[in-house]
């Protein structure tokens, strides 16, 4: 058995080669992986059945939830949708070798800033076995090596999916060792320490799981620990829209990170809005917890405490607070929110702008539901995750978030000595329309 | 005396307002800061003389170097160049509110990805007092609050520069508390722990200083610990160019991070190149340390050990290794280099591409000196630093590296419920030519 450090070293070495594998070969490898998954459907289902049987035993003992067993279970249809997902990643535009800018520094001295892979991605995720092929596809498409650690409950499924994916892609010309699997929990701790070899961590899972990763590694982490999203209904809101968006944000799918947890309502509109909204919420089984003023309007509801403003329910519960001004709403969100997604409903443009500018979150919506905050809906294609961090990538992250940049400077013998001192040649610094791909092709000839 | 946490909290609160201060006010504030520095020249010089007098005492005791005293000393000219620098930052294009992309998700549902400030920048730097106004200007221009910690040897100069800058900018309408100064060493340790309040650290100083910061904080660090740069002379190099670039990379300014430390020479060109190059190097007083084959060609030179390949001399010393192939050169660089800047000299385009692709550094030069790797030369304007990290910004970093992005979604009551299920409306996902600034202005009307 190789240890984590050897696996990471293999990944690192492989990543240097993988960075230069052509778009054609990367795409072809993904197509072959999709076909291999279909071909090995029976084998994958068999391994998955073993995982599910094991999980059911633990469910009976009360150690697992039914939801976990459901998420774990693969079916013929699910496997087909995995293959479709892999093919759709293959068909997206190449995220590599994009020209970020091109500049002529002087005659025959051309600077290109170009997108390149990051290197080695560490992906740690819980339960669902379809995450493994998804992350593998995104990493391969963006030229990154990957170290995968799935949940122990999906161990057998992940092992087969990993093998099938690895063999199909390496046979298509992807450098050996580009994908690595680790299985033991102690290996995760070792992985978190390898900041010299692993460039970025992309964890998926619960809030406590992500926090654990963030607190125990110096490697940059892409993701979010929680989505404590707000909807603010302004005094100049259209009432019908406010009802629709407040309902959609909470009820449409309450278990996800971009669902709304707190509603902030301008005091001038509260008496019109809240009774109608409370009725809609009650029909959907939503528990309302409110500030004192909300309770005066709505009568018998629970009090929202300080703790409620800080809670991501992920459930059919909403806390409601009446605020005296848009500024107070913005302040509440910046204080209690998780910098994920927040929305305003208002018919006044200048108030929309005040809110969009003032709320310090990765996505801010004007007259639209918080639930739109998602890589697929944003048109980014497959989603790596949603980042609430301030550096690198922010908000829903697509393939671009798995790339970094590199400067190429192409001269014909240029030295700095000519550009310093009293006789210094001046720089031209003119933007070029030429792309790096064109420059590269003309050099290759 | 406020403690570090209170200062960081003030900076954080101020940063939320500063993010929305108009371009005009930010630029005007910088112009006023430049004028205030000129107006307070005598006061600044007086404080600086005290610092210099103190440093000279320590120089006599042998605790400081002459170089440190020189870097510390301000003059009328130096102060004027500080003012010029501040004005030139003011005159640059606004790095904020740039439209990274704009996309129509559906009718009247428009998504904008826009550049915004990061938030609170922690800047820790050694000695030179001109760093304080430079970092302050870059942060203000990019809408960030800043916490400054200068070297103790420049304490009095920094204190006056800080006061003058703060008063001039706050009088021009920049939110109070946007700039904070900390002075004690123990405050740095506290700062490094404030990962909830400080979004990015931009340290400047020695390798050990940067390493200390990186090892002791969870806050992302922008910068580089060392620049171990290589020049590879290929078998198909033009000899004259190879001589020029090898000389410029080492001799033009050896004390800086983008100077070359190791020369890799293809064995087929070594006998032609090395004697001529050694002569040039000897005239400039460069000590050569070589591999065995280099020593066979050049005779009496010191042996380069494993330690030499890992050493950033920052001095008139170069290590030379003869390699059997371009692949071996690339492997050497990826193994021993610091991912800063490396160069190839070759007349064969396909070999240039192989090297540019294969070397995993933030800047790679084809037939140009490593010394070009610099924000000013790249046309980025003032430089925040050179980053050798793989995430966020990489290579020479200008104002753009002090920004992040934010998604704005503008709808007219859109809810996700309409876009899911069997009757789901499809997304349009059409790129828009409209910019965020245009959308914002039309909403503001």
């Amino acid at each position: 058995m190789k240890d984590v450090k050897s696996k990471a070293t293999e990944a690192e070495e492989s990543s240097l080669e993988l960075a230069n594998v052509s778009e054609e070969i990367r795409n072809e490898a993904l197509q072959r992986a999709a076909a291999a998954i279909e071909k090995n459907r029976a084998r994958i289902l068999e391994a998955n059945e073993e995982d599910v049987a094991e999980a059911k035993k633990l469910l009976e003992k009360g150690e697992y939830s039914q939801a976990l067993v459901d998420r774990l279970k693969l079916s013929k249809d699910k496997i087909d949708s995995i293959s479709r997902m892999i093919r759709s990643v293959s068909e997206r535009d190449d995220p590599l070798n994009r020209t970020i800018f091109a500049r002529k520094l002087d005659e025959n001295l051309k600077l290109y800033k170009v997108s390149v892979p990051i290197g080695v991605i560490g992906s740690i995720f819980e339960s669902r076995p379809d995450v493994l092929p998804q992350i593998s596809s995104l990493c391969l498409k963006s030229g990154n090596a990957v170290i995968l650690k799935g949940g122990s409950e999906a161990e057998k499924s992940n092992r087969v999916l990993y093998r099938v994916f690895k063999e199909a892609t390496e046979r298509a010309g992807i450098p050996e060792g580009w994908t690595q699997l680790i299985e033991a929990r102690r290996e995760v701790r070792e992985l978190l320490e390898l900041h010299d070899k692993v460039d970025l961590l992309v964890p998926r899972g619960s809030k406590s799981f992500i926090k654990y990763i963030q607190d125990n590694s110096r490697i940059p982490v892409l993701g979010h620990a929680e989505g404590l999203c707000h909807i603010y209904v302004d005094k100049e809101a259209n009432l019908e829209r406010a009802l629709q968006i407040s309902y959609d944000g909470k009820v449409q799918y309450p278990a996800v990170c971009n669902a709304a947890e707190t509603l902030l309502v301008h005091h001038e509109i509260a008496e019109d809005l809240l009774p109608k909204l409370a009725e809609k919420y009650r029909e959907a089984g939503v528990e309302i917890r409110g500030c004192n003023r909300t309770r005066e309007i709505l009568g018998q509801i629970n009090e929202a405490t300080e703790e409620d403003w800080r809670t991501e329910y992920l459930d059919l519960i909403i806390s409601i607070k009446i605020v005296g001004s848009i500024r107070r709403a913005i302040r509440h969100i910046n204080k209690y929110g998780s910098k994920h997604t927040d929305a305003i409903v208002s018919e006044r443009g200048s108030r929309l702008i005040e809110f969009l500018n003032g709320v310090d979150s990765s996505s801010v919506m004007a007259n639209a539901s918080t639930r739109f905050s998602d890589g697929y809906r944003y048109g980014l294609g497959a989603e790596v995750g949603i980042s609430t961090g301030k550096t690198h990538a922010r908000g829903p992250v697509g393939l671009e978030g798995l790339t970094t940049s590199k400067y190429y400077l192409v001269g014909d013998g240029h030295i700095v000595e000519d550009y310093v001192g009293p006789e210094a040649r001046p720089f031209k610094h003119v933007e070029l329309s030429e792309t790096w791909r064109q420059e590269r092709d003309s050099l290759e000839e």
Side-chain angles (χ1 to χ4, degrees), chain A:
Chain A
M1 222 8 218
K2 273 174 288 186
D3 64 3
V4 181
K5 200 167 173 187
S6 320
K7 288 179 182 176
T9 305
E10 266 189 33
E12 190 188 17
E13 282 166 9
S14 177
S15 76
L16 295 170
E17 281 182 69
L18 175 53
N20 299 308
V21 170
S22 72
E23 184 187 357
E24 292 68 32
I25 291 178
R26 278 179 281 125
N27 289 342
E28 170 64 21
L30 287 169
Q31 295 287 346
R32 289 216 207 164
I37 297 240
E38 286 164 348
K39 207 180 134 195
N40 287 279
R41 202 188 281 131
R43 207 175 131 205
I44 295 165
L45 285 175
E46 206 174 298
N48 184 249
E49 271 162 31
E50 290 181 46
D51 283 332
V52 172
E54 198 61 39
K56 279 185 177 159
K57 280 188 213 157
L58 291 164
L59 172 66
E60 279 162 27
K61 289 188 196 161
E63 289 174 25
Y64 273 6
S65 68
Q66 183 63 47
L68 191 145
V69 176
D70 293 346
R71 276 206 301 276
L72 186 58
K73 198 170 165 52
L74 288 175
S75 63
K76 185 181 166 305
D77 278 1
K78 267 201 187 166
I79 291 178
D80 287 347
S81 86
I82 289 173
S83 289
R84 270 199 307 279
M85 177 277 300
I86 299 172
R87 289 199 178 92
S88 93
V89 171
S90 158
E91 282 150 17
R92 290 197 71 85
D93 286 344
D94 192 5
L96 303 182
N97 293 307
R98 283 180 304 110
T99 304
I100 300 164
F101 73 70
R103 184 174 293 156
K104 184 163 114 174
L105 304 192
D106 197 359
E107 289 313 319
N108 293 322
L109 185 63
K110 290 176 282 182
L111 179 70
Y112 297 88
K113 188 175 183 180
V114 174
S115 67
V116 297
I118 290 178
V120 178
I121 310 294
S123 168
I124 313 171
F125 47 95
E126 294 179 328
S127 55
R128 286 176 32 196
D130 50 332
V131 175
L132 189 144
Q134 192 191 7
I135 290 284
S136 304
S137 308
L138 293 168
C139 287
L140 179 51
K141 177 81 183 187
S142 55
N144 290 288
V146 65
I147 302 172
L148 300 153
K149 164 71 176 79
S152 57
E153 59 289 356
E155 189 172 283
K156 294 200 173 63
S157 319
N158 281 333
R159 209 177 283 165
V160 174
L161 284 165
Y162 169 76
R163 281 261 137 239
V164 169
F165 208 98
K166 176 183 162 71
E167 282 164 16
T169 52
E170 290 183 357
R171 226 174 280 143
I174 304 300
E176 242 179 83
W178 79 273
T179 175
Q180 302 281 340
L181 185 69
I182 63 179
E183 297 190 325
R185 192 166 294 187
R186 65 163 171 75
E187 290 182 303
V188 173
R189 282 199 301 277
E190 287 172 53
L191 180 69
L192 299 186
E193 308 221 321
L194 297 177
H195 55 84
D196 287 338
K197 300 194 178 292
V198 181
D199 297 296
L200 184 68
L201 293 174
V202 186
R204 295 206 187 179
S206 65
K207 178 175 162 179
S208 58
F209 177 71
I210 310 280
K211 278 256 179 226
Y212 170 78
I213 306 280
Q214 286 171 335
D215 289 346
N216 288 282
S217 187
R218 273 180 52 195
I219 305 169
V221 177
L222 194 153
H224 64 279
E226 62 177 351
L228 209 166
C229 305
H230 300 75
I231 296 168
Y232 164 64
V233 180
D234 187 44
K235 64 175 175 181
E236 303 197 47
N238 170 307
L239 210 61
E240 190 48 40
R241 284 182 179 174
L243 287 168
Q244 293 256 342
I245 288 172
S246 305
Y247 187 84
D248 190 79
K250 179 74 259 178
V251 179
Q252 201 272 327
Y253 194 176
V256 287
C257 61
N258 56 16
E261 309 293 2
T262 297
L263 194 68
L264 301 167
V265 182
H266 194 282
H267 72 99
E268 290 181 30
I269 203 171
E271 285 181 37
D272 289 340
L273 178 81
L274 289 181
K276 293 195 185 84
L277 182 61
E279 204 186 308
K280 276 175 77 90
Y281 274 163
R282 273 190 205 117
E283 280 167 23
V286 177
E287 178 195 338
I288 299 174
R289 300 181 188 173
C291 66
N292 285 337
R293 187 77 191 90
T294 304
R295 296 170 81 203
E296 282 169 32
I297 297 172
L298 293 181
Q300 287 300 314
I301 58 161
N302 286 321
E303 188 184 349
T305 63
E306 178 74 12
E307 190 55 26
D308 282 289
W309 312 131
R310 299 186 189 281
T311 300
E312 184 191 22
Y313 303 115
L314 295 174
D315 203 349
L316 288 175
I317 308 171
I318 195 150
S319 54
I320 302 183
K321 184 181 194 174
I322 294 175
V323 292
S325 68
I326 186 171
R327 283 188 69 86
R328 278 178 195 271
I330 292 170
R331 225 175 293 149
H332 180 101
I333 294 170
N334 287 337
K335 181 172 174 187
Y336 294 103
S338 62
K339 298 182 193 286
H340 190 297
T341 303
D342 302 284
I344 177 176
V345 186
S346 179
E347 296 300 299
R348 175 78 65 177
S350 61
R351 293 173 77 86
L352 297 180
I353 294 297
E354 186 178 351
F355 186 88
L356 295 178
N357 281 344
V359 168
D360 187 30
S361 297
S362 67
S363 288
V364 195
M365 321 314 230
N367 293 320
S369 169
T370 55
R371 292 274 297 110
F372 282 104
S373 177
D374 166 278
Y376 163 70
R377 292 179 189 131
Y378 278 7
L380 308 179
E383 182 179 277
V384 180
I386 295 183
S387 166
T388 53
K390 289 289 197 87
T391 50
H392 194 59
R394 196 175 181 216
V397 179
L399 283 165
E400 204 196 323
L402 294 178
T403 68
T404 182
S405 63
K406 188 171 172 182
Y407 286 105
Y408 294 129
L409 182 65
V410 181
D412 62 1
H414 290 74
I415 58 174
V416 161
E417 182 63 24
D418 295 335
Y419 296 85
V420 295
E423 308 271 291
R425 269 180 80 92
F427 284 102
K428 291 209 161 57
H429 290 156
V430 181
E431 305 311 302
L432 291 170
S433 58
E434 215 173 344
T435 68
W436 169 245
R437 286 178 186 152
Q438 291 167 326
E439 175 74 38
R440 183 190 61 187
D441 292 347
S442 84
L443 281 169
E444 287 274 21
E445 269 161 21

